[in-house]
Amino acid sequence: MRCGKMAAPPPPPPAAGAPGAWGGVRRRCQRLLYWVPVLFISSILCWSYYAYVAQLCLLTMTNIGEKVVCLVAYHIFFMLFVWSYWKTIFTLPMNPSKEFHLSYSDKESLEREPRGESQQEVLRRAAKDLPIYTRTMSGAIRYCDRCHLVKPDRCHHCSVCDKCILKMDHHCPWVNNCVGFSNYKFFLLFLAYSLLYCLFIAATDLQYFIKFWTNGLPDTQAKFHIMFLFFAAAMFSVSLSSLFGYHCWLVSKNKSTLEVFRAPIFRHRTDKNGFSLGFSKNLRQVFGDEKKYWLLPVFSSLGDGCSFPTCLVNQDPEQASTPGGHNSSSKNENHLFPAKPLRDSQSQLLTDTSSWSETTAKAEKGKVGMSNPALTMENET
């Protein structure tokens, strides 16, 4: 018989009426409610498939050629729509990598020390080798006290998901997911293909909608489906076109929805176009370098979501250069940053790699005058 202390029995589950039990039930009910918009969109999609394929194409259209063309084109749009929607919903948002999380000792120090210079020193030490260039409104390093990490550039904490999301754009209830670095391309394609889907249905359904409205066709069960199908497709087309156009503008400027409402704050100033590298490179950041993948809902975005090239560390293309290769103007020196490593997939977006190395050398030379401002810990959402 073995001697020793017996292991303590596991704690009993909370009673049915305990506060913890009710809290768990409430959270499960909330998670179920979050799926209601997705189920609504899915039910509309299933009904539209039945109304278009069965009622319009198979039962109403009389021309065989028109039937074949409409069915083939419809199923292409339908497949791309469902594929991109599925990927947007079930692609998990990416969270900051381990290097941005505070170590156990740093977390202990941060909790033990009062708010002040000691906490600022902990954050300085944790962020000194990280590729971060943005700050809070007060000039502090962006820190999340819920996830216990230094926030990468363009990362924000989602109150619904209760976690930090890389390059967060917004939390979309229609997909029950955060739209960020990992699925922003899928979200754009979802908007594009859903708009094409609705426009195609409205265009091919219009003549039959007019015929039923003017009593040009017999009053059958298909009349309700075809008329309501046109109204639904036209209504969704209007709303989707404005939303898709807005996100196309965001891509062209390399902005997120959150950055439109709160411009990113860099070390020296706020710059609403700080991450914009020009239309072509902004497009490649989302869709990647290989154009054959642009229209497919497969991940092809550049980078890792933790670091991004910025025009503030790139040589100003409008500035004249001296024969020695150095800028004759000192404008670019107002935006020097400490030497932080950009990922290889991000660095290739910079037009001139030599200018990046020159800027880094200048930053090292002027490091004495580039010390961090007084940092205070500030929570952001």
Side-chain angles (χ1 to χ4, degrees):
M1 181 174 180
R2 298 181 59 184
C3 298
K5 296 182 179 179
M6 295 180 62
W22 282 113
V25 172
R26 185 176 66 245
R27 286 191 295 270
R28 285 192 290 270
C29 291
Q30 287 178 343
R31 285 196 292 266
L32 289 176
L33 288 176
Y34 289 152
W35 285 101
V36 171
V38 177
L39 294 176
F40 173 75
I41 295 295
S42 301
S43 61
I44 292 292
L45 188 61
C46 292
W47 167 79
S48 67
Y49 185 90
Y50 167 76
Y52 191 88
V53 173
Q55 297 294 331
L56 179 59
C57 292
L58 299 181
L59 298 180
T60 304
M61 291 182 180
T62 56
N63 187 289
I64 300 299
E66 183 184 11
K67 280 186 181 183
V68 172
V69 171
C70 287
L71 285 173
V72 170
Y74 173 83
H75 281 91
I76 292 175
F77 290 127
F78 180 83
M79 179 192 68
L80 293 172
F81 178 14
V82 172
W83 187 8
S84 57
Y85 190 46
W86 177 275
K87 293 284 285 186
T88 307
I89 295 173
F90 294 104
T91 299
L92 294 177
M94 288 181 63
N95 311 121
S97 55
K98 292 181 179 180
E99 60 184 318
F100 291 91
H101 288 75
L102 294 186
S103 64
Y104 181 76
S105 59
D106 286 340
K107 284 191 288 187
E108 280 193 335
S109 300
L110 207 61
E111 294 172 357
R112 184 172 58 250
E113 300 292 343
R115 289 181 179 268
E117 184 60 29
S118 55
Q119 282 191 339
Q120 298 166 21
E121 183 60 33
V122 173
L123 294 179
R124 290 195 201 101
R125 185 171 62 250
K128 66 178 181 178
D129 294 324
L130 297 177
I132 55 173
Y133 303 107
T134 54
R135 299 290 186 263
T136 65
M137 295 183 65
S138 63
I141 289 179
R142 301 171 63 245
Y143 173 77
C144 179
D145 61 346
R146 294 184 64 87
C147 301
H148 303 291
L149 56 84
V150 175
K151 291 182 182 179
D153 293 341
R154 317 184 80 176
C155 173
H156 296 274
H157 187 89
C158 177
S159 58
V160 179
C161 300
D162 195 25
K163 60 181 66 174
C164 285
I165 308 299
L166 293 181
K167 196 187 175 184
M168 179 178 172
D169 188 87
H170 68 288
H171 185 93
C172 181
W174 298 107
V175 300
N176 190 27
N177 199 2
C178 260
V179 177
F181 176 76
S182 61
N183 62 351
Y184 187 64
K185 176 191 173 183
F186 305 148
F187 179 74
L188 281 175
L189 293 179
F190 157 63
L191 293 179
Y193 290 132
S194 58
L195 177 60
L196 290 176
Y197 178 80
C198 293
L199 290 175
F200 175 79
I201 289 178
T204 54
D205 186 34
L206 178 59
Q207 59 174 320
Y208 298 95
F209 170 80
I210 295 175
K211 288 180 181 179
F212 274 119
W213 191 261
T214 57
N215 296 321
L217 290 174
D219 192 1
T220 61
Q221 181 184 359
K223 180 177 182 178
F224 165 78
H225 292 284
I226 291 176
M227 294 183 68
F228 189 72
L229 185 65
F230 178 80
F231 278 122
M235 179 185 65
F236 279 110
S237 296
V238 173
S239 59
L240 285 170
S241 60
S242 59
L243 185 59
F244 178 63
Y246 172 70
H247 279 278
C248 287
W249 176 79
L250 290 179
V251 172
S252 69
K253 299 295 183 180
N254 202 355
K255 295 182 180 180
S256 66
T257 300
L258 293 177
E259 290 168 352
V260 170
F261 292 99
R262 183 189 295 175
I265 303 172
F266 294 89
R267 178 180 293 271
H268 299 291
R269 64 184 177 91
T270 300
D271 194 323
K272 61 181 180 179
N273 296 315
F275 291 107
S276 180
L277 305 174
F279 177 78
S280 176
K281 294 175 183 176
N282 294 343
L283 193 67
R284 284 162 51 198
Q285 275 214 310
V286 175
F287 292 94
D289 289 326
E290 300 190 49
K291 295 183 180 180
K292 61 183 179 181
Y293 296 124
W294 283 11
L295 300 181
L296 296 178
V298 294
F299 184 81
S300 60
S301 301
L302 295 181
D304 58 1
C306 292
S307 63
F308 299 89
T310 166
C311 64
L312 301 183
V313 298
N314 192 21
Q315 186 177 8
D316 191 345
E318 296 181 357
Q319 287 182 326
S321 299
T322 62
H326 299 282
N327 292 336
S328 58
S329 172
S330 60
K331 176 184 176 182
N332 198 42
E333 295 179 358
N334 295 329
H335 306 306
L336 293 179
F337 290 89
K340 300 292 181 66
L342 279 175
R343 282 15 178 212
D344 292 339
S345 55
Q346 298 296 348
S347 299
Q348 64 177 319
L349 285 175
L350 298 178
T351 56
D352 188 358
T353 55
S354 62
S355 66
W356 163 248
S357 59
E358 290 171 9
T359 305
T360 303
K362 290 180 181 179
E364 288 295 334
K365 186 182 294 183
K367 195 172 182 179
V368 176
M370 290 293 297
S371 58
N372 288 348
L375 300 178
T376 57
M377 187 168 63
E378 179 172 316
N379 300 327
E380 289 187 345
T381 56

Short mmCIF file of all heavy atoms in Angstrom, two decimals, residues 29 47 58 62 71 82 109 114 220 265 276 282 297:
data_model
loop_
_atom_site.label_atom_id
_atom_site.label_comp_id
_atom_site.label_asym_id
_atom_site.label_seq_id
_atom_site.Cartn_x
_atom_site.Cartn_y
_atom_site.Cartn_z
N CYS A 29 -26.13 31.48 -24.08
CA CYS A 29 -27.27 32.08 -24.79
C CYS A 29 -26.81 33.22 -25.69
O CYS A 29 -27.31 33.39 -26.81
CB CYS A 29 -28.31 32.58 -23.79
SG CYS A 29 -29.18 31.28 -22.90
N TRP A 47 -33.52 30.18 -49.72
CA TRP A 47 -34.77 30.49 -50.41
C TRP A 47 -34.50 31.07 -51.81
O TRP A 47 -35.21 30.73 -52.77
CB TRP A 47 -35.58 31.50 -49.60
CG TRP A 47 -36.71 32.08 -50.40
CD1 TRP A 47 -37.91 31.50 -50.68
CD2 TRP A 47 -36.70 33.33 -51.10
NE1 TRP A 47 -38.66 32.32 -51.49
CE2 TRP A 47 -37.95 33.44 -51.77
CE3 TRP A 47 -35.77 34.35 -51.22
CZ2 TRP A 47 -38.26 34.56 -52.53
CZ3 TRP A 47 -36.09 35.46 -51.98
CH2 TRP A 47 -37.33 35.55 -52.63
N LEU A 58 -36.50 26.74 -64.08
CA LEU A 58 -37.08 25.46 -64.51
C LEU A 58 -38.56 25.55 -64.85
O LEU A 58 -39.03 24.88 -65.78
CB LEU A 58 -36.86 24.41 -63.41
CG LEU A 58 -35.39 24.11 -63.07
CD1 LEU A 58 -35.31 23.04 -61.99
CD2 LEU A 58 -34.62 23.67 -64.33
N THR A 62 -38.99 29.50 -70.78
CA THR A 62 -39.36 28.55 -71.83
C THR A 62 -38.24 28.30 -72.84
O THR A 62 -38.21 27.25 -73.47
CB THR A 62 -40.61 29.07 -72.58
OG1 THR A 62 -40.34 30.38 -73.09
CG2 THR A 62 -41.80 29.14 -71.63
N LEU A 71 -28.62 29.17 -65.60
CA LEU A 71 -28.29 28.19 -64.56
C LEU A 71 -26.78 28.07 -64.36
O LEU A 71 -26.30 28.00 -63.22
CB LEU A 71 -28.89 26.83 -64.90
CG LEU A 71 -30.40 26.68 -64.69
CD1 LEU A 71 -30.89 25.35 -65.23
CD2 LEU A 71 -30.74 26.82 -63.21
N VAL A 82 -20.98 31.60 -51.63
CA VAL A 82 -21.00 30.72 -50.46
C VAL A 82 -19.59 30.44 -49.97
O VAL A 82 -19.32 30.43 -48.76
CB VAL A 82 -21.73 29.41 -50.80
CG1 VAL A 82 -21.61 28.41 -49.66
CG2 VAL A 82 -23.20 29.69 -51.10
N SER A 109 5.93 42.36 -12.34
CA SER A 109 6.44 43.71 -12.06
C SER A 109 5.38 44.76 -12.34
O SER A 109 5.23 45.73 -11.59
CB SER A 109 7.68 44.00 -12.91
OG SER A 109 8.70 43.07 -12.64
N PRO A 114 3.36 50.51 -8.60
CA PRO A 114 2.27 51.49 -8.80
C PRO A 114 2.38 52.12 -10.17
O PRO A 114 3.42 52.09 -10.82
CB PRO A 114 2.52 52.52 -7.69
CG PRO A 114 3.99 52.43 -7.43
CD PRO A 114 4.36 50.98 -7.64
N THR A 220 -49.49 32.12 -61.15
CA THR A 220 -49.14 30.83 -60.56
C THR A 220 -48.36 31.05 -59.25
O THR A 220 -48.14 32.19 -58.84
CB THR A 220 -48.27 30.00 -61.52
OG1 THR A 220 -47.06 30.73 -61.80
CG2 THR A 220 -49.01 29.77 -62.84
N ILE A 265 -1.58 57.08 -34.53
CA ILE A 265 -0.70 58.08 -33.93
C ILE A 265 0.71 57.50 -33.91
O ILE A 265 0.97 56.49 -33.25
CB ILE A 265 -1.15 58.44 -32.51
CG1 ILE A 265 -2.60 58.94 -32.54
CG2 ILE A 265 -0.23 59.50 -31.90
CD1 ILE A 265 -3.19 59.13 -31.17
N SER A 276 -0.14 54.11 -45.90
CA SER A 276 -0.40 54.08 -47.34
C SER A 276 0.91 54.11 -48.11
O SER A 276 1.77 54.97 -47.88
CB SER A 276 -1.27 55.27 -47.74
OG SER A 276 -1.54 55.24 -49.13
N ASN A 282 -0.74 49.10 -51.84
CA ASN A 282 -1.84 48.92 -50.90
C ASN A 282 -2.71 47.73 -51.31
O ASN A 282 -3.15 46.95 -50.45
CB ASN A 282 -2.69 50.18 -50.83
CG ASN A 282 -1.93 51.35 -50.23
OD1 ASN A 282 -0.91 51.18 -49.58
ND2 ASN A 282 -2.44 52.55 -50.47
N PRO A 297 -11.17 32.85 -52.82
CA PRO A 297 -11.13 33.00 -51.36
C PRO A 297 -10.08 32.10 -50.71
O PRO A 297 -10.39 31.22 -49.91
CB PRO A 297 -12.55 32.61 -50.92
CG PRO A 297 -13.34 32.39 -52.14
CD PRO A 297 -12.41 32.20 -53.27
#
